[in-house]
Amino acid sequence: MAASYCLIQHAKTPLQLKHVPQESLSEKIRKAIASLEIMLQSWRVGSSKAVGFEVLAPSLLNLLEEEGHFFEFPGKKHLLHVRDQKLASVKPELLYTTSPSALLHSLEAFHYRKDISYDRFGHQKVAGSMMASPSATASYLIRSNTWDDEAEAYLRLVSSNGHGQGLGGVPSAYPSTNFELNWVALADAASQVVSTLLEAGLWTRDLDEKYAAKILRTLEDSRKLGGGLVGFAPGIEPDLDDSAKSSIIFSLLGREGFSSQVTEHFHSGRCLQTYKGERNPSLSANCNALLSILLDSDDSRPDRSRYPSIEKITLFICDSWRSTSGSLDDKWNLSPYYPAMLMVQSLMELLHKWHDGKLPELESALLQEQIVPTLIQCLGHLLQTQNVDGSWGSRGPREETSYAILALTNLISFLPRQYFSTAITRAISRGRSFLRDCGPGEVEYLWIEKVTYASENLAEAYVVAALHASNQKPLLSYANLCAIDHKGLEHIASLADMICGMIANGSLFGQGS
């Protein structure tokens, strides 16, 4: 839709770009509109995950209608309903206020609205941008009556330094300093995922203190700008995911985390919300939030005020697993193995904290009826869905395989040795052999923003972590874990036997590969 509209505008006003003949341009527009007609007919609006699609797509349809192109398709009514729901809770007028809003990231959605004054948005700029969005900033610059040199400078910077490197392509978000710092950092001239490597035991506090100090200093500076929380770039509205990841990094690097502030700010009904007014919650962000709470309370006197948040998020995570029959769905990553990895990491950390006596008042039913069955089923699902070549998934085999290996590595300390130990070891070994044999490949478009995107740095770091991660935690004592119920140990054993049988006959969540 956006490309079609741009072609139409260029045909009307080519300015200095006159190297494309008008006849050729008209044919390109005709083909673009015809292709769009076909794509819209098969668009499953309900399964869309792209950031802001519910306001961006209707806006683009309006712009195309102004140019004489009208589209009717099965999902249009649902799309407009979702848009109306979104705008009912988040009024565009809020963009005029001094408080930042996530809606600024999709400011171009209001480009066609003549009743909205873009001249009143100048105070919302951060480093020349509208919430680090090139398209939102371009919309602001076009609609403003006064030219903004700072916004122009930002767009020139994005064009030259972004992924397109001056060739015309621009990212949907730029910069993403804190996101990349939380997930990615430079170490010994190679890109590494800080939190991933910390959680995998591959980055220790004394590995590279100067880098750790820079990371902490940068995140602390961002916290000052974000009122104690962190967004995906400095000065950008804080979000749950980046704030939780930052707290995790603080804890793993020996600093006091700030999970209490995270849970208080992003508190919602049955879980935590990534942004104020978001349409649907993020499983992966809630997993990171739970892990941040657990790592931030690593002492002999646990803070009782954190129990409600721990229990609420845990129930949300386990409910999400049960409702999808193993095929987890997340709003930030297309692979079900990404939220599965984070789910395992957070729930295993919770079990170890309880096992070590650091969560003594946790409800026993939560462990026996929610966490343990969820982890057993997830383990069985991971073992069953491994492909013949040792990989997992189909969208991006290197990165997805790394997610699965990291999940299995965390599960090594879960069940008694007689259950699954050989199967887990074999699955991890086969997965690592696949990663070594396939080597660097095509970039894998797994991550979700306004569009799906790939990150070579993220992919490489997850591969490094998967190849070298080890589980140093002691095996959970099931005599202790199940002391909450006298028949607990037998219950675990029977579940394990059942899962083994289901794996053998391929009946666990359907036939595996």
Side-chain angles (χ1 to χ4, degrees):
M1 286 186 276
S4 300
Y5 181 71
C6 286
L7 285 175
I8 293 168
Q9 294 303 305
H10 179 60
K12 291 168 61 177
T13 312
L15 299 178
Q16 76 274 23
L17 304 175
K18 300 180 180 179
H19 61 281
V20 179
Q22 189 67 31
E23 297 78 10
S24 175
L25 196 55
S26 298
E27 180 63 11
K28 291 179 186 295
I29 293 172
R30 186 192 67 78
K31 289 182 177 180
I33 296 299
S35 296
L36 186 55
E37 284 275 14
I38 295 171
M39 288 186 284
L40 287 173
Q41 294 304 314
S42 59
W43 183 21
R44 296 171 57 194
V45 175
S47 63
S48 296
K49 301 179 183 179
V51 172
F53 85 92
E54 66 271 29
V55 290
L56 292 172
S59 173
L60 288 167
L61 288 172
N62 281 325
L63 291 172
L64 288 169
E65 286 178 2
E66 290 178 359
E67 301 299 331
H69 299 284
F70 297 84
F71 300 91
E72 295 297 331
F73 51 96
K76 186 174 183 179
K77 183 177 180 180
H78 179 51
L79 174 65
L80 298 181
H81 175 68
V82 173
R83 176 202 61 187
D84 293 341
Q85 281 187 317
K86 177 73 173 183
L87 296 184
S89 60
V90 184
K91 300 293 184 183
E93 290 75 16
L94 293 175
L95 299 174
Y96 298 148
T97 66
T98 56
S99 300
S101 167
L103 210 55
L104 284 167
H105 191 64
S106 301
L107 184 60
E108 67 271 31
F110 306 103
H111 192 86
Y112 72 98
R113 292 274 298 270
K114 307 305 180 186
D115 60 320
I116 294 179
S117 173
Y118 273 62
D119 292 313
R120 297 174 63 185
F121 293 146
H123 68 283
Q124 298 283 24
K125 290 182 300 177
V126 176
S129 76
M130 288 293 158
M131 199 173 171
S133 168
S135 54
T137 307
S139 178
Y140 158 73
L141 197 56
I142 293 169
R143 283 288 311 277
S144 295
N145 291 315
T146 302
W147 190 256
D148 192 316
D149 292 333
E150 189 181 19
E152 178 190 355
Y154 165 77
L155 291 176
R156 290 185 179 277
L157 176 69
V158 172
S159 178
S160 60
N161 290 9
H163 189 70
Q165 294 292 297
L167 298 178
V170 295
S172 62
Y174 185 93
S176 53
T177 311
N178 293 332
F179 170 75
E180 292 183 276
L181 192 58
N182 281 333
W183 275 258
V184 183
L186 292 176
D188 296 329
S191 295
Q192 309 289 325
V193 172
V194 175
S195 57
T196 299
L197 297 182
L198 282 166
E199 291 157 2
L202 301 180
W203 179 310
T204 58
R205 236 171 286 172
D206 57 354
L207 174 65
D208 224 324
E209 289 188 4
K210 66 176 182 178
Y211 287 117
K214 287 181 179 179
I215 292 166
L216 292 170
R217 184 167 58 251
T218 302
L219 292 177
E220 191 59 61
D221 289 344
S222 289
R223 287 191 67 201
K224 291 176 182 177
L225 292 172
L229 298 168
V230 178
F232 69 82
I236 300 301
E237 182 185 7
D239 65 87
L240 172 62
D241 221 5
D242 285 284
S243 295
K245 275 288 192 183
S246 297
S247 182
I248 290 170
I249 290 176
F250 272 52
S251 297
L252 292 175
L253 289 177
R255 292 277 296 275
E256 183 180 352
F258 48 96
S259 63
S260 294
Q261 189 172 356
V262 172
T263 55
E264 180 180 351
H265 183 83
F266 296 103
H267 171 76
S268 186
R270 65 192 184 103
C271 59
L272 303 185
Q273 56 184 347
T274 311
Y275 287 103
K276 297 291 185 182
E278 75 173 344
R279 191 170 56 87
N280 56 313
S282 165
L283 173 58
S284 64
N286 274 271
C287 289
N288 284 327
L290 177 58
L291 189 59
S292 73
I293 298 170
L294 296 169
L295 293 177
D296 198 13
S297 57
D298 191 11
D299 53 53
S300 58
R301 294 175 296 174
D303 185 351
R304 288 180 175 82
S305 66
R306 300 182 182 188
Y307 278 81
S309 294
I310 291 173
E311 292 178 350
K312 178 174 73 172
I313 299 172
T314 300
L315 282 172
F316 170 72
I317 292 171
C318 294
D319 287 345
S320 298
W321 170 263
R322 282 195 303 272
S323 66
T324 57
S325 297
S327 183
L328 291 171
D329 188 45
D330 189 63
K331 66 192 297 180
W332 303 117
N333 193 295
L334 291 173
S335 172
Y337 296 102
Y338 176 69
M341 171 190 68
L342 297 176
M343 180 185 78
V344 168
Q345 288 176 346
S346 59
L347 294 184
M348 283 299 298
E349 185 66 30
L350 190 153
L351 283 185
H352 280 286
K353 285 287 189 292
W354 182 89
H355 186 267
D356 294 341
K358 294 176 180 177
L359 296 171
E361 297 180 24
L362 202 65
E363 289 289 337
S364 61
L366 187 67
L367 279 79
Q368 187 175 10
E369 298 173 12
Q370 301 287 337
I371 299 172
V372 170
T374 295
L375 289 174
I376 289 177
Q377 290 177 15
C378 183
L379 173 55
H381 184 64
L382 288 167
L383 294 176
Q384 190 196 17
T385 57
Q386 187 172 25
N387 297 319
V388 175
D389 61 1
S391 68
W392 277 270
S394 58
R395 296 179 181 273
R398 291 179 72 247
E399 202 165 334
E400 288 193 279
T401 298
S402 299
Y403 301 154
I405 291 173
L406 290 170
L408 286 174
T409 302
N410 274 273
L411 285 165
I412 287 175
S413 61
F414 175 47
L415 285 172
R417 297 298 184 198
Q418 63 266 37
Y419 301 117
F420 294 113
S421 60
T422 302
I424 293 175
T425 303
R426 184 187 303 118
I428 292 174
S429 178
R430 290 177 60 220
R432 286 175 172 170
S433 293
F434 170 82
L435 292 178
R436 293 189 188 97
D437 292 343
C438 70
E442 297 284 329
V443 291
E444 299 166 352
Y445 290 82
L446 297 175
W447 297 88
I448 303 171
E449 223 275 333
K450 291 180 185 178
V451 294
T452 54
Y453 68 97
S455 170
E456 294 178 7
N457 291 337
L458 280 172
E460 189 60 29
Y462 277 116
V463 169
V464 169
L467 288 172
H468 301 285
S470 61
N471 190 335
Q472 303 298 328
K473 292 186 177 180
L475 182 68
L476 290 170
S477 170
Y478 277 83
N480 183 18
L481 179 62
C482 298
I484 53 180
D485 190 309
H486 293 298
K487 58 184 180 181
L489 187 56
E490 291 78 8
H491 177 62
I492 297 293
S494 64
L495 276 175
D497 287 338
M498 180 182 68
I499 295 294
C500 284
M502 295 175 78
I503 291 173
N505 62 33
S507 62
L508 184 67
F509 299 138
Q511 185 63 40
S513 299

